[in-house]
Coordinates of all heavy atoms in Angstrom, one line a residue:
V1 N 67.3 98.6 0.4 CA 68.3 97.7 0.8 C 68.1 97.4 2.3 O 67.8 98.3 3.1 CB 69.7 98.1 0.7 CG1 70.7 97.2 1.4 CG2 70.1 98.2 -0.8
H2 N 68.2 96.1 2.7 CA 68.1 95.7 4.1 C 69.4 95.0 4.4 O 69.7 94.0 3.8 CB 66.9 94.8 4.4 CG 66.8 94.4 5.8 ND1 65.6 93.8 6.3 CD2 67.6 94.4 6.8 CE1 65.7 93.5 7.5 NE2 67.0 93.8 7.9
F3 N 70.1 95.6 5.3 CA 71.5 95.1 5.7 C 71.5 94.7 7.2 O 71.0 95.5 8.0 CB 72.5 96.2 5.4 CG 73.9 95.9 5.9 CD1 74.9 95.6 5.0 CD2 74.2 96.1 7.3 CE1 76.2 95.4 5.5 CE2 75.5 95.9 7.7 CZ 76.5 95.6 6.8
Q4 N 72.0 93.5 7.6 CA 72.0 93.1 9.0 C 73.3 92.4 9.3 O 73.7 91.5 8.6 CB 70.8 92.3 9.3 CG 70.6 92.1 10.8 CD 69.2 91.4 11.1 OE1 68.8 90.5 10.4 NE2 68.5 91.9 12.0
L5 N 73.9 92.9 10.4 CA 75.1 92.3 11.0 C 74.7 91.6 12.2 O 74.3 92.2 13.2 CB 76.1 93.4 11.2 CG 77.4 92.9 12.1 CD1 78.2 91.9 11.4 CD2 78.2 94.2 12.4
Y6 N 74.9 90.3 12.3 CA 74.6 89.5 13.5 C 75.7 89.8 14.5 O 76.9 89.8 14.2 CB 74.7 88.0 13.2 CG 73.6 87.4 12.4 CD1 73.8 86.3 11.6 CD2 72.3 88.0 12.3 CE1 72.8 85.7 10.8 CE2 71.3 87.4 11.6 CZ 71.5 86.3 10.9 OH 70.5 85.7 10.1
C7 N 75.3 90.0 15.8 CA 76.2 90.3 16.9 C 76.0 89.4 18.1 O 76.0 89.9 19.2 CB 75.9 91.8 17.3 SG 76.2 93.0 16.0
P8 N 76.0 88.1 17.9 CA 76.0 87.2 19.1 C 77.3 87.1 19.7 O 78.4 87.3 19.0 CB 75.5 85.8 18.5 CG 76.1 85.9 17.1 CD 75.9 87.3 16.7
I9 N 77.4 86.7 21.0 CA 78.7 86.6 21.6 C 79.3 85.2 21.3 O 80.5 85.0 21.4 CB 78.5 86.8 23.2 CG1 79.9 87.1 23.8 CG2 77.8 85.5 23.8 CD1 79.8 87.6 25.2
D10 N 78.5 84.2 20.9 CA 79.0 82.9 20.5 C 77.9 82.3 19.5 O 77.0 83.0 19.1 CB 79.2 82.0 21.7 CG 78.0 81.8 22.5 OD1 76.8 81.7 21.9 OD2 78.1 81.8 23.7
D11 N 78.2 81.1 19.1 CA 77.3 80.4 18.1 C 76.4 79.5 18.7 O 75.8 78.6 17.9 CB 78.2 79.7 17.0 CG 79.1 78.6 17.6 OD1 79.0 78.4 18.8 OD2 79.9 78.0 16.8
S12 N 76.0 79.6 20.0 CA 75.2 78.7 20.7 C 73.7 78.7 20.2 O 72.9 77.9 20.6 CB 75.3 78.9 22.2 OG 74.8 80.2 22.5
H13 N 73.3 79.8 19.5 CA 71.9 80.0 19.1 C 71.9 80.2 17.5 O 71.1 81.0 17.0 CB 71.3 81.2 19.8 CG 71.0 80.9 21.2 ND1 72.0 80.8 22.2 CD2 69.9 80.8 21.9 CE1 71.5 80.7 23.3 NE2 70.2 80.6 23.2
S14 N 72.6 79.4 16.9 CA 72.7 79.5 15.4 C 71.4 79.3 14.7 O 71.2 79.8 13.6 CB 73.8 78.5 14.8 OG 73.4 77.2 15.1
N15 N 70.5 78.6 15.4 CA 69.2 78.3 14.7 C 68.3 79.6 14.6 O 67.2 79.5 14.0 CB 68.4 77.2 15.6 CG 68.2 77.7 17.0 OD1 69.1 78.1 17.7 ND2 66.9 77.6 17.4
L16 N 68.7 80.7 15.3 CA 67.9 81.9 15.2 C 68.1 82.8 14.0 O 67.7 83.9 13.9 CB 68.1 82.7 16.5 CG 67.8 82.0 17.8 CD1 68.1 83.0 19.0 CD2 66.4 81.6 17.8
G17 N 68.9 82.2 13.0 CA 69.2 83.0 11.8 C 68.0 83.1 10.9 O 67.1 82.3 10.9
V18 N 68.1 84.0 10.0 CA 67.0 84.3 9.0 C 67.0 83.1 8.0 O 68.1 82.5 7.7 CB 67.3 85.6 8.3 CG1 68.5 85.6 7.4 CG2 66.0 86.0 7.5
K19 N 65.8 82.8 7.5 CA 65.6 81.7 6.5 C 65.2 82.4 5.2 O 64.2 83.2 5.2 CB 64.6 80.7 7.0 CG 65.1 79.9 8.2 CD 64.0 78.8 8.6 CE 64.6 77.9 9.7 NZ 63.6 76.9 10.1
I20 N 65.9 82.1 4.1 CA 65.6 82.6 2.8 C 64.6 81.6 2.2 O 64.9 80.4 2.1 CB 66.9 82.7 1.9 CG1 67.9 83.7 2.6 CG2 66.5 83.2 0.6 CD1 67.4 85.1 2.8
L21 N 63.5 82.2 1.7 CA 62.4 81.3 1.2 C 62.1 81.6 -0.3 O 62.4 82.7 -0.8 CB 61.1 81.6 2.0 CG 61.2 81.5 3.5 CD1 60.0 82.0 4.2 CD2 61.6 80.1 4.0
E22 N 61.6 80.5 -0.9 CA 61.0 80.7 -2.2 C 59.6 80.3 -2.2 O 59.2 79.3 -1.7 CB 61.8 79.7 -3.2 CG 61.3 79.9 -4.7 CD 62.2 79.1 -5.6 OE1 62.8 78.0 -5.2 OE2 62.3 79.5 -6.8
K23 N 58.7 81.2 -2.8 CA 57.3 81.0 -2.7 C 56.8 80.1 -3.9 O 57.2 80.4 -5.0 CB 56.5 82.3 -2.7 CG 55.0 82.1 -2.4 CD 54.3 83.5 -2.2 CE 52.9 83.3 -1.8 NZ 52.2 84.6 -1.7
N24 N 56.0 79.1 -3.5 CA 55.4 78.2 -4.6 C 53.9 78.3 -4.3 O 53.4 77.5 -3.5 CB 56.0 76.8 -4.4 CG 57.5 76.8 -4.4 OD1 58.1 77.2 -5.4 ND2 58.1 76.4 -3.3
E25 N 53.2 79.1 -5.1 CA 51.8 79.3 -5.0 C 51.5 79.6 -3.5 O 51.8 80.7 -3.0 CB 51.1 78.0 -5.4 CG 51.2 77.8 -6.9 CD 50.4 76.6 -7.5 OE1 49.8 75.9 -6.7 OE2 50.5 76.4 -8.7
D26 N 50.9 78.7 -2.7 CA 50.5 79.0 -1.4 C 51.4 78.4 -0.3 O 51.1 78.4 0.9 CB 49.1 78.5 -1.1 CG 48.0 79.2 -2.0 OD1 48.2 80.4 -2.3 OD2 47.1 78.5 -2.4
S27 N 52.6 78.0 -0.7 CA 53.5 77.4 0.3 C 54.9 78.0 0.0 O 55.2 78.7 -0.9 CB 53.5 75.9 0.2 OG 54.0 75.5 -1.1
F28 N 55.8 77.7 0.9 CA 57.2 78.2 0.9 C 58.2 77.0 1.0 O 58.0 76.1 1.7 CB 57.5 79.1 2.0 CG 56.7 80.4 1.9 CD1 55.5 80.5 2.6 CD2 57.1 81.5 1.2 CE1 54.7 81.7 2.5 CE2 56.4 82.7 1.1 CZ 55.2 82.8 1.8
T29 N 59.3 77.2 0.2 CA 60.4 76.2 0.3 C 61.6 77.0 0.9 O 61.9 78.1 0.5 CB 60.8 75.7 -1.1 OG1 59.7 75.0 -1.7 CG2 62.0 74.8 -1.0
E30 N 62.2 76.4 1.9 CA 63.4 77.0 2.5 C 64.6 76.8 1.5 O 65.0 75.6 1.3 CB 63.7 76.4 3.9 CG 64.9 77.0 4.5 CD 65.2 76.5 5.9 OE1 64.2 76.1 6.6 OE2 66.4 76.4 6.3
V31 N 65.2 77.9 1.0 CA 66.4 77.8 0.2 C 67.6 77.7 1.0 O 68.5 76.9 0.7 CB 66.4 79.0 -0.8 CG1 67.7 79.0 -1.6 CG2 65.2 79.0 -1.7
K32 N 67.7 78.5 2.0 CA 68.9 78.4 2.9 C 68.6 79.1 4.2 O 67.7 79.9 4.3 CB 70.1 79.0 2.2 CG 70.0 80.6 2.1 CD 71.3 81.2 1.5 CE 71.5 80.9 0.0 NZ 72.6 81.7 -0.6
Q33 N 69.3 78.8 5.2 CA 69.3 79.5 6.5 C 70.6 80.2 6.7 O 71.7 79.5 6.6 CB 68.9 78.7 7.7 CG 68.9 79.5 9.0 CD 68.3 78.7 10.1 OE1 68.4 77.4 10.2 NE2 67.7 79.3 11.1

């Protein structure tokens, strides 16, 4: 299991979150961030 709690002081860098991906042969599709 990998568990992570984000601890920013505000939401000004929301783009730095993890992206969940689905692999399609040799490429990836972003499912959600």
Side-chain angles (χ1 to χ4, degrees):
V1 168
H2 180 164
F3 171 106
Q4 192 167 44
L5 167 63
Y6 289 154
C7 300
I9 200 165
D10 57 40
D11 61 3
S12 61
H13 290 68
S14 61
N15 62 305
L16 298 181
V18 68
K19 294 183 177 182
I20 302 296
L21 308 173
E22 185 172 26
K23 189 172 184 180
N24 306 297
E25 295 184 355
D26 296 327
S27 64
F28 294 94
T29 300
E30 181 182 328
V31 175
K32 69 176 72 171
Q33 181 172 26

